[in-house]
Amino acid sequence: MDSKYYATWEEYLAEHPELEGKPEHAIAPKIQKYEDAVFVFVMDLLL
Amino acid sequence: MTDAVAMTNERNQMFRDLFSGKTPKRVPLSNPATQDFAIQYAGLDLAECQWDLTKLEPVYEKFCQDFVTDTYPGGSIRLPSHYQILGSTPIVMSSSGFMQHPEVVGLLAEEYDEFIASPYDCIVEKVLPRLFTELNGAPGKVAMTLAKAMRAQSDDLAYLGTIRAKMNAKYGYATMMGALTEAPFDFMADFLRSFKGISGDVRRYPDKIAAACEAVLPLMIKKGTLPNPAMLGYTFIPLHMAPYLRDKDFATLYWPTFKKLVETMAGMGQNVQLFVEQDWMRYLDYLYELPENTIMRFEYGDPKLVKEKLGKKHIISGFYPITLLQTGTKQQCVDKAKELMDVLAPGGKYWFQADKSVINFEAKGPVADNMRAVLEYVHENGTY
């Protein structure tokens, strides 16, 4: 899914170099969870 | 182990057997009535209870106590708070408290190319501001509105989740997860181009529709994906527009991306439940092509023909006419359940559900008593 309103963790990390060296295993699932939560919320509005 | 836990385990096993093509211990059944019905059945105000969810626990307690079912009854994704905050036009509460979906156009015909180029961007930038008035304005206001709406929905769903967990623990329902998505063509119709708009587009811009369905397919797959495909549960796909299409338009515009959607879900190990709305009898050969054990809940049609053509490969459900609960005697309602079970239950691959949901309750009407009689009949006489 190519969109400026949705990012995978890899895309997010590329835009946020300040996270380099931080505990990725803890950060990645949390960031991805909220990316997905907004996606589901938006799509539910149209279902 | 408590009785409720044992019942949950037994019911979970029934659905695991059903979804994997094995004959379960008995015919699984689901209560067709919704949360709207449950609130009215409890004698409470529909609008007030959907705003103040603290009133819902006794509603569900009575509902679960009075009607036997294997799956948690009720539930709702259309609670009013976040729609109100967003200034919703596609989902609005009526004066009687029901959440309704008026005909809306979220995407203009001249915006097809923009949608095809990037569906999600187009949804965020064009469709949402058009359909939700509070998302049309200054960026700061839109951001604050979105935050409030998401928080409201999250709180509401969390509260409903606690009630569900309590009822599951007390009544021993099957603990199934669910996801919701749509066939790409239906998604383009429902909130984007409208019934009238897409019907004209089929003749004017068929290539645009086909391209839009392909473009939005990844979003539909993502939306329908369960957190863990191995979970007991299914992706629910209500089907809308196919009965209103000519055969050749169905074949070229509706079927290709719908088939890919179902095949992708099945390929991930997920069960799929189709709500086959209206009459799909002319499309049975298409439905046969879908992955084995696709669950198909039918609204109208010929149960014998469906069992004959699809029943060895797929899981059949639906067909029970809820209008009979309003017009028939208790005996007629039970007889109808028996008639459908005689046709559809042999050999397994059958889940007792009605042809549509029961949303309205009249205190002096026969629906509650008739529905209770039907559910009890199926529960007591569905053993294989």
Side-chain angles (χ1 to χ4, degrees), chain B residues 50-111:
Chain B
Q50 290 177 95
W51 277 100
D52 180 1
L53 303 187
T54 63
K55 297 189 181 310
L56 282 181
E57 187 168 336
V59 165
Y60 274 99
E61 181 62 53
K62 181 172 175 57
F63 192 38
C64 294
Q65 181 73 45
D66 289 0
F67 300 95
V68 65
T69 176
D70 291 319
T71 56
Y72 179 69
S76 175
I77 62 164
R78 289 184 174 170
L79 292 160
S81 60
H82 68 287
Y83 289 114
Q84 177 66 35
I85 291 165
L86 292 166
S88 171
T89 61
I91 301 290
V92 293
M93 182 181 274
S94 71
S95 59
S96 55
F98 290 100
M99 300 302 286
Q100 296 188 322
H101 170 35
E103 174 97 326
V104 294
V105 176
L107 182 78
L108 306 181
E110 55 267 35
E111 292 169 338

Coordinates of all heavy atoms in Angstrom, one line a residue, chain B residues 50-111:
Chain B
Q50 N -27.3 3.8 23.2 CA -26.1 3.8 22.3 C -25.1 4.9 22.7 O -24.0 4.8 22.3 CB -26.6 3.9 20.9 CG -27.3 2.6 20.4 CD -27.8 2.7 19.0 OE1 -27.2 2.3 18.1 NE2 -29.0 3.3 18.9
W51 N -25.7 5.9 23.4 CA -24.8 7.0 23.8 C -24.2 6.6 25.2 O -23.0 6.9 25.5 CB -25.5 8.3 23.9 CG -25.6 9.0 22.6 CD1 -26.6 9.0 21.7 CD2 -24.5 9.8 22.0 NE1 -26.3 9.8 20.6 CE2 -25.0 10.3 20.8 CE3 -23.3 10.2 22.4 CZ2 -24.3 11.1 19.9 CZ3 -22.5 11.0 21.6 CH2 -23.0 11.4 20.3
D52 N -25.0 6.1 26.1 CA -24.6 5.7 27.4 C -24.5 4.2 27.5 O -25.4 3.5 27.9 CB -25.6 6.3 28.5 CG -25.2 5.9 29.9 OD1 -24.1 5.3 30.1 OD2 -25.9 6.3 30.8
L53 N -23.3 3.7 27.2 CA -23.1 2.3 27.1 C -23.2 1.6 28.5 O -23.3 0.3 28.6 CB -21.8 1.9 26.5 CG -21.6 2.5 25.1 CD1 -20.3 2.0 24.4 CD2 -22.7 2.3 24.1
T54 N -23.1 2.3 29.6 CA -23.2 1.7 30.9 C -24.5 1.0 31.1 O -24.7 0.2 32.0 CB -22.9 2.7 32.0 OG1 -24.0 3.7 32.0 CG2 -21.6 3.4 31.9
K55 N -25.5 1.4 30.3 CA -26.8 0.8 30.4 C -26.9 -0.5 29.7 O -27.9 -1.2 29.8 CB -27.9 1.8 29.8 CG -28.0 3.1 30.6 CD -29.2 3.9 30.1 CE -29.3 5.2 30.8 NZ -29.2 5.2 32.3
L56 N -25.9 -0.9 29.0 CA -26.0 -2.1 28.1 C -25.8 -3.4 28.8 O -26.2 -4.4 28.3 CB -25.0 -1.9 26.9 CG -25.4 -1.0 25.8 CD1 -24.4 -1.0 24.7 CD2 -26.8 -1.4 25.2
E57 N -25.0 -3.4 29.9 CA -24.8 -4.7 30.5 C -26.0 -5.5 30.9 O -26.2 -6.6 30.6 CB -23.8 -4.6 31.7 CG -23.4 -5.9 32.2 CD -22.2 -5.9 33.2 OE1 -21.5 -4.9 33.2 OE2 -22.1 -6.8 34.0
P58 N -27.0 -4.8 31.6 CA -28.2 -5.5 31.9 C -29.0 -5.9 30.6 O -29.8 -6.9 30.6 CB -29.0 -4.6 32.8 CG -28.4 -3.2 32.7 CD -26.9 -3.5 32.3
V59 N -28.9 -5.1 29.6 CA -29.5 -5.4 28.3 C -29.0 -6.7 27.8 O -29.8 -7.6 27.4 CB -29.2 -4.2 27.3 CG1 -29.6 -4.7 25.9 CG2 -30.0 -3.0 27.6
Y60 N -27.7 -6.9 27.8 CA -27.1 -8.1 27.3 C -27.4 -9.3 28.2 O -27.6 -10.4 27.8 CB -25.6 -7.9 27.0 CG -25.3 -7.4 25.6 CD1 -25.1 -6.0 25.4 CD2 -25.4 -8.2 24.5 CE1 -24.9 -5.5 24.2 CE2 -25.2 -7.7 23.2 CZ -24.9 -6.4 23.1 OH -24.7 -5.9 21.8
E61 N -27.4 -9.0 29.5 CA -27.7 -10.0 30.5 C -29.1 -10.7 30.2 O -29.2 -11.9 30.1 CB -27.7 -9.4 31.9 CG -27.9 -10.4 33.0 CD -26.9 -11.5 33.0 OE1 -25.7 -11.2 33.1 OE2 -27.3 -12.7 33.0
K62 N -30.1 -9.8 30.0 CA -31.4 -10.3 29.7 C -31.5 -11.0 28.3 O -32.1 -12.1 28.2 CB -32.4 -9.2 29.7 CG -33.9 -9.6 29.5 CD -34.8 -8.4 29.7 CE -36.3 -8.8 29.4 NZ -36.8 -9.9 30.1
F63 N -30.8 -10.4 27.4 CA -30.8 -10.9 26.0 C -30.2 -12.3 26.0 O -30.7 -13.3 25.4 CB -30.0 -10.0 25.1 CG -30.1 -10.2 23.7 CD1 -31.3 -10.5 23.0 CD2 -29.0 -9.9 22.9 CE1 -31.3 -10.6 21.6 CE2 -29.0 -10.0 21.5 CZ -30.2 -10.4 20.9
C64 N -29.1 -12.5 26.6 CA -28.3 -13.8 26.7 C -29.1 -14.8 27.5 O -29.1 -16.0 27.1 CB -26.9 -13.6 27.2 SG -25.9 -12.6 26.2
Q65 N -29.7 -14.4 28.5 CA -30.5 -15.3 29.4 C -31.7 -15.9 28.6 O -32.0 -17.0 28.8 CB -31.0 -14.5 30.6 CG -31.8 -15.3 31.6 CD -30.9 -16.2 32.4 OE1 -29.9 -15.9 32.9 NE2 -31.4 -17.5 32.5
D66 N -32.3 -15.1 27.8 CA -33.6 -15.5 27.2 C -33.5 -16.2 25.9 O -34.5 -16.8 25.4 CB -34.5 -14.2 27.0 CG -35.0 -13.7 28.4 OD1 -34.7 -14.3 29.4 OD2 -35.7 -12.7 28.4
F67 N -32.4 -16.1 25.2 CA -32.3 -16.6 23.8 C -31.0 -17.5 23.7 O -29.9 -17.0 23.8 CB -32.3 -15.5 22.8 CG -33.5 -14.7 22.8 CD1 -33.5 -13.5 23.4 CD2 -34.6 -15.1 22.1 CE1 -34.6 -12.7 23.5 CE2 -35.8 -14.3 22.1 CZ -35.8 -13.1 22.8
V68 N -31.2 -18.8 23.4 CA -30.0 -19.6 23.3 C -29.3 -19.4 22.0 O -30.0 -19.1 21.0 CB -30.5 -21.1 23.4 CG1 -31.4 -21.5 22.3 CG2 -29.2 -22.0 23.5
T69 N -28.0 -19.4 22.0 CA -27.2 -19.2 20.8 C -25.8 -19.7 21.1 O -25.4 -19.8 22.3 CB -27.2 -17.7 20.4 OG1 -26.3 -17.6 19.3 CG2 -26.7 -16.8 21.5
D70 N -25.1 -20.0 20.1 CA -23.7 -20.5 20.2 C -22.7 -19.4 20.1 O -21.5 -19.6 20.5 CB -23.4 -21.6 19.2 CG -24.1 -22.9 19.5 OD1 -24.3 -23.3 20.7 OD2 -24.6 -23.5 18.5
T71 N -23.1 -18.3 19.5 CA -22.1 -17.2 19.3 C -22.7 -15.9 20.1 O -23.9 -15.8 20.2 CB -22.0 -16.8 17.8 OG1 -23.3 -16.6 17.3 CG2 -21.3 -18.0 17.1
Y72 N -21.7 -15.1 20.5 CA -22.2 -13.9 21.2 C -23.1 -13.1 20.3 O -22.8 -12.8 19.2 CB -20.9 -13.0 21.5 CG -21.2 -11.7 22.2 CD1 -21.7 -11.8 23.5 CD2 -21.1 -10.5 21.6 CE1 -22.0 -10.6 24.2 CE2 -21.3 -9.3 22.3 CZ -21.8 -9.4 23.6 OH -22.1 -8.2 24.2
P73 N -24.3 -12.8 20.9 CA -25.3 -12.1 20.1 C -25.1 -10.5 20.2 O -24.5 -10.0 21.1 CB -26.6 -12.4 20.8 CG -26.2 -12.6 22.2 CD -24.8 -13.1 22.3
G74 N -25.6 -9.9 19.2 CA -25.6 -8.4 19.2 C -24.3 -7.9 18.7 O -23.8 -8.3 17.7
G75 N -23.7 -6.9 19.4 CA -22.5 -6.2 19.0 C -22.9 -5.2 18.0 O -23.9 -5.2 17.4
S76 N -22.0 -4.2 17.8 CA -22.2 -3.1 16.9 C -20.9 -2.4 16.6 O -20.1 -2.2 17.5 CB -23.2 -2.1 17.5 OG -23.4 -1.0 16.6
I77 N -20.7 -2.0 15.3 CA -19.6 -1.2 15.0 C -20.1 0.2 14.7 O -19.3 1.1 14.5 CB -18.8 -1.7 13.8 CG1 -19.7 -1.7 12.5 CG2 -18.2 -3.0 14.0 CD1 -18.9 -1.8 11.2
R78 N -21.4 0.4 14.8 CA -21.9 1.7 14.4 C -22.6 2.4 15.6 O -23.8 2.5 15.7 CB -22.9 1.6 13.2 CG -22.2 1.3 12.0 CD -23.1 1.2 10.8 NE -22.2 1.0 9.6 CZ -22.7 0.8 8.4 NH1 -24.0 0.6 8.2 NH2 -21.9 0.7 7.3
L79 N -21.7 2.8 16.5 CA -22.2 3.5 17.7 C -22.1 5.0 17.3 O -21.3 5.4 16.5 CB -21.3 3.2 18.9 CG -21.6 1.7 19.4 CD1 -20.4 1.3 20.2 CD2 -22.9 1.6 20.1
P80 N -22.9 5.9 17.9 CA -23.1 7.2 17.4 C -22.0 8.2 17.8 O -21.9 9.2 17.0 CB -24.4 7.7 18.1 CG -24.6 6.9 19.3 CD -23.9 5.5 19.0
S81 N -21.3 8.0 18.8 CA -20.4 9.1 19.4 C -19.4 9.6 18.3 O -19.3 10.8 18.1 CB -19.7 8.7 20.6 OG -18.9 7.5 20.4
H82 N -18.6 8.7 17.7 CA -17.6 9.1 16.8 C -18.2 9.7 15.5 O -17.6 10.6 14.9 CB -16.5 8.1 16.6 CG -17.0 6.9 15.8 ND1 -17.8 5.9 16.3 CD2 -16.7 6.5 14.5 CE1 -18.0 4.9 15.4 NE2 -17.4 5.3 14.3
Y83 N -19.3 9.1 15.1 CA -20.0 9.7 13.9 C -20.4 11.1 14.2 O -20.3 12.0 13.3 CB -21.2 8.8 13.5 CG -20.8 7.5 12.9 CD1 -21.0 6.3 13.6 CD2 -20.1 7.4 11.7 CE1 -20.7 5.0 13.0 CE2 -19.7 6.2 11.2 CZ -20.0 5.0 11.8 OH -19.6 3.8 11.3
Q84 N -21.0 11.4 15.4 CA -21.4 12.7 15.7 C -20.2 13.7 15.7 O -20.3 14.8 15.1 CB -22.1 12.7 17.1 CG -22.5 14.1 17.6 CD -23.6 14.7 16.8 OE1 -24.4 14.0 16.3 NE2 -23.5 16.0 16.6
I85 N -19.1 13.3 16.3 CA -17.9 14.1 16.4 C -17.4 14.4 15.0 O -16.9 15.6 14.7 CB -16.8 13.4 17.2 CG1 -17.3 13.4 18.7 CG2 -15.5 14.1 17.1 CD1 -16.5 12.4 19.6
L86 N -17.5 13.5 14.1 CA -17.0 13.7 12.7 C -17.9 14.4 11.8 O -17.5 14.8 10.7 CB -16.7 12.3 12.1 CG -15.5 11.5 12.7 CD1 -15.6 10.0 12.2 CD2 -14.2 12.1 12.4
G87 N -19.1 14.7 12.3 CA -20.1 15.3 11.4 C -20.5 14.4 10.2 O -20.5 14.8 9.1
S88 N -20.8 13.1 10.6 CA -21.1 12.1 9.6 C -22.3 12.4 8.7 O -23.4 12.7 9.3 CB -21.2 10.8 10.3 OG -21.6 9.8 9.4
T89 N -22.2 12.2 7.4 CA -23.4 12.2 6.6 C -23.7 10.8 6.1 O -24.9 10.5 5.8 CB -23.2 13.1 5.3 OG1 -22.1 12.7 4.6 CG2 -23.0 14.6 5.8
P90 N -22.8 9.9 6.0 CA -23.2 8.5 5.5 C -23.8 7.6 6.5 O -24.5 6.7 6.2 CB -21.8 7.9 5.0 CG -20.8 8.6 5.7 CD -21.3 10.0 6.0
I91 N -23.5 7.9 7.8 CA -24.1 7.1 8.9 C -24.7 8.1 9.9 O -23.9 8.9 10.5 CB -23.1 6.2 9.6 CG1 -22.4 5.2 8.7 CG2 -23.7 5.5 10.8 CD1 -23.3 4.1 8.2
V92 N -26.0 8.1 10.0 CA -26.6 9.1 10.9 C -27.7 8.3 11.8 O -28.2 7.3 11.4 CB -27.3 10.2 10.1 CG1 -26.3 11.1 9.4 CG2 -28.3 9.6 9.1
M93 N -27.9 8.9 13.0 CA -29.0 8.3 13.8 C -30.3 8.9 13.4 O -30.5 10.1 13.3 CB -28.7 8.6 15.3 CG -29.7 7.9 16.2 SD -29.4 8.3 18.0 CE -28.2 7.0 18.4
S94 N -31.3 8.0 13.2 CA -32.7 8.5 12.9 C -33.4 8.9 14.2 O -32.9 8.8 15.3 CB -33.4 7.3 12.3 OG -33.8 6.4 13.3
S95 N -34.5 9.5 14.0 CA -35.3 10.0 15.1 C -35.7 8.9 16.1 O -35.9 9.1 17.3 CB -36.5 10.8 14.7 OG -37.3 9.9 13.9
S96 N -35.8 7.7 15.5 CA -36.1 6.5 16.4 C -34.9 5.9 17.0 O -35.1 4.9 17.8 CB -36.9 5.5 15.5 OG -36.2 5.1 14.4
G97 N -33.7 6.3 16.7 CA -32.5 5.8 17.4 C -31.7 4.8 16.6 O -30.7 4.3 17.0
F98 N -32.2 4.4 15.4 CA -31.5 3.5 14.6 C -30.4 4.2 13.8 O -30.6 5.3 13.3 CB -32.4 2.8 13.6 CG -33.4 1.8 14.2 CD1 -34.7 2.2 14.5 CD2 -32.9 0.5 14.6 CE1 -35.6 1.3 15.1 CE2 -33.8 -0.4 15.2 CZ -35.1 0.0 15.4
M99 N -29.2 3.6 13.7 CA -28.2 4.2 12.8 C -28.4 3.8 11.4 O -28.6 2.6 11.1 CB -26.8 3.6 13.3 CG -26.4 3.9 14.7 SD -26.4 5.7 15.1 CE -24.9 6.2 14.3
Q100 N -28.5 4.8 10.5 CA -28.9 4.6 9.2 C -27.9 5.0 8.2 O -27.1 5.9 8.5 CB -30.3 5.3 8.9 CG -31.4 4.7 9.7 CD -32.8 5.3 9.3 OE1 -32.9 6.4 9.0 NE2 -33.8 4.4 9.4
H101 N -27.9 4.5 7.0 CA -27.0 4.8 5.9 C -27.7 5.4 4.7 O -28.2 4.7 3.8 CB -26.2 3.5 5.5 CG -25.4 3.7 4.3 ND1 -24.7 4.8 4.0 CD2 -25.0 2.8 3.3 CE1 -24.0 4.6 2.8 NE2 -24.2 3.4 2.4
P102 N -27.8 6.7 4.6 CA -28.4 7.3 3.4 C -27.5 7.2 2.2 O -26.3 7.0 2.4 CB -28.6 8.8 3.8 CG -28.2 8.9 5.2 CD -27.4 7.7 5.6
E103 N -28.1 7.3 1.1 CA -27.3 7.3 -0.2 C -26.4 8.6 -0.2 O -26.8 9.7 -0.1 CB -28.3 7.4 -1.4 CG -27.6 7.5 -2.7 CD -27.4 6.2 -3.5 OE1 -27.2 5.1 -2.8 OE2 -27.5 6.2 -4.7
V104 N -25.1 8.3 -0.4 CA -24.1 9.4 -0.4 C -23.1 9.2 -1.6 O -23.0 8.1 -2.0 CB -23.3 9.6 0.9 CG1 -24.2 9.9 2.1 CG2 -22.6 8.3 1.2
V105 N -22.5 10.3 -2.0 CA -21.4 10.2 -3.0 C -20.2 10.8 -2.4 O -20.1 12.0 -2.1 CB -21.8 11.0 -4.2 CG1 -20.7 11.0 -5.2 CG2 -23.1 10.4 -4.9
G106 N -19.2 9.9 -2.1 CA -17.9 10.4 -1.5 C -16.9 10.7 -2.6 O -15.9 11.3 -2.3
L107 N -17.1 10.1 -3.8 CA -16.1 10.2 -4.8 C -16.8 10.6 -6.1 O -17.7 10.0 -6.5 CB -15.4 8.9 -5.1 CG -14.3 8.9 -6.2 CD1 -13.0 9.5 -5.6 CD2 -14.0 7.4 -6.7
L108 N -16.3 11.7 -6.7 CA -17.0 12.2 -8.0 C -16.4 11.4 -9.2 O -15.3 10.9 -9.1 CB -16.7 13.6 -8.2 CG -17.1 14.6 -7.1 CD1 -16.8 16.0 -7.4 CD2 -18.6 14.4 -6.7
A109 N -17.2 11.2 -10.2 CA -16.8 10.5 -11.4 C -15.5 11.0 -11.9 O -14.6 10.2 -12.4 CB -17.9 10.5 -12.4
E110 N -15.3 12.3 -11.9 CA -14.0 12.8 -12.5 C -12.8 12.6 -11.6 O -11.7 13.0 -11.9 CB -14.2 14.3 -12.8 CG -14.6 15.2 -11.6 CD -16.2 15.4 -11.6 OE1 -16.9 14.4 -11.9 OE2 -16.6 16.4 -11.1
E111 N -13.0 12.0 -10.4 CA -11.9 11.7 -9.5 C -11.4 10.3 -9.6 O -10.6 9.9 -8.8 CB -12.3 12.1 -8.1 CG -12.5 13.5 -7.9 CD -13.2 13.9 -6.5 OE1 -13.9 13.0 -5.9 OE2 -13.1 15.1 -6.1

